[in-house]
Amino acid sequence: MTDTTRPSRIWRPELGGPRASALSGDVLSNQFDRGVALVGYGLLIASVFTAGLPALGALALASAHSHDAHLVTRSHYRHQVSIFWAGVMSFVLGILCGIAAAAFAFSQVWSWMAERFPWIAREIGTMVLPGNRGEVAGWFVVAAVILFVYGAAHTLLTSIFGALKLVAGRPIGHIDEH
């Protein structure tokens, strides 16, 4: 049987229990962890407008503090790490789509030049990429833009959502007792 009167590091919503600020015996440490997590969310939000560099600081804070933090705050640190990696993956895929768009566009330009100046094709050779290269390049540009916008919107919205849940003292996702 569990004693529900004693403060615990485990958040039990089914008991209608206290919020994160009242769960730990060390209130100062808990407030510090919440403050650090809020700074992490602020860095993630700022990273949308500053080429992502503050997100590295948020990742470092979340990684450094996640092992000894309160369970609710730990869930926010895990959430910040997942926001960071989702943003990185979106950025990397956007860059790869941009490179592919440039390759198809360059191939289209090269073919045009080889038709106009046959000596180029004889001396250097031709690049052959399949399909309508101009159209494919355009679709890759669209994909790159969508990935960049998605990454920025996801980072911004999930960071705001996480910060609001942290201020309310609620975890992100499910918290295990172990």
Side-chain angles (χ1 to χ4, degrees), residues 98-177:
I99 290 170
F104 276 95
F106 183 71
S107 175
Q108 182 71 27
V109 169
W110 188 262
S111 294
W112 179 83
M113 287 179 57
E115 289 173 6
R116 304 291 184 276
F117 308 104
W119 57 271
I120 291 177
R122 282 193 311 270
E123 295 295 323
I124 301 174
T126 58
M127 294 176 50
V128 178
L129 290 175
N132 183 351
R133 291 172 295 233
E135 184 178 334
V136 173
W139 282 111
F140 272 118
V141 168
V142 168
V145 169
I146 287 172
L147 284 165
F148 287 134
V149 169
Y150 167 77
H154 177 267
T155 301
L156 187 64
L157 295 175
T158 55
S159 296
I160 291 170
F161 171 76
L164 291 174
K165 292 226 13 168
L166 180 63
V167 168
R170 298 288 184 194
I172 298 288
H174 177 69
I175 296 181
D176 292 329
E177 292 189 16

Side-chain angles (χ1 to χ4, degrees), residues 6-136:
R6 194 177 98 234
S8 168
R9 290 184 63 91
I10 299 168
W11 184 63
R12 294 187 179 98
E14 70 276 1
L15 298 176
R19 299 206 185 259
S21 60
L23 288 176
S24 176
D26 188 2
V27 175
L28 183 61
S29 174
N30 191 23
Q31 291 299 330
F32 175 76
D33 283 339
R34 286 180 67 192
V36 170
L38 280 173
V39 167
Y41 282 125
L43 288 171
L44 285 168
I45 291 168
S47 71
V48 171
F49 306 106
T50 57
L53 293 179
L56 292 172
L59 177 67
L61 284 174
S63 298
H65 291 277
S66 65
H67 300 293
D68 59 353
H70 182 275
L71 291 175
V72 172
T73 311
R74 192 178 307 163
S75 74
H76 286 276
Y77 288 139
R78 280 194 313 266
H79 184 59
Q80 290 174 2
V81 170
S82 69
I83 291 170
F84 173 82
W85 286 114
V88 166
M89 289 305 298
S90 164
F91 181 75
V92 167
L93 289 174
I95 292 291
L96 291 176
C97 284
I99 290 170
F104 276 95
F106 183 71
S107 175
Q108 182 71 27
V109 169
W110 188 262
S111 294
W112 179 83
M113 287 179 57
E115 289 173 6
R116 304 291 184 276
F117 308 104
W119 57 271
I120 291 177
R122 282 193 311 270
E123 295 295 323
I124 301 174
T126 58
M127 294 176 50
V128 178
L129 290 175
N132 183 351
R133 291 172 295 233
E135 184 178 334
V136 173

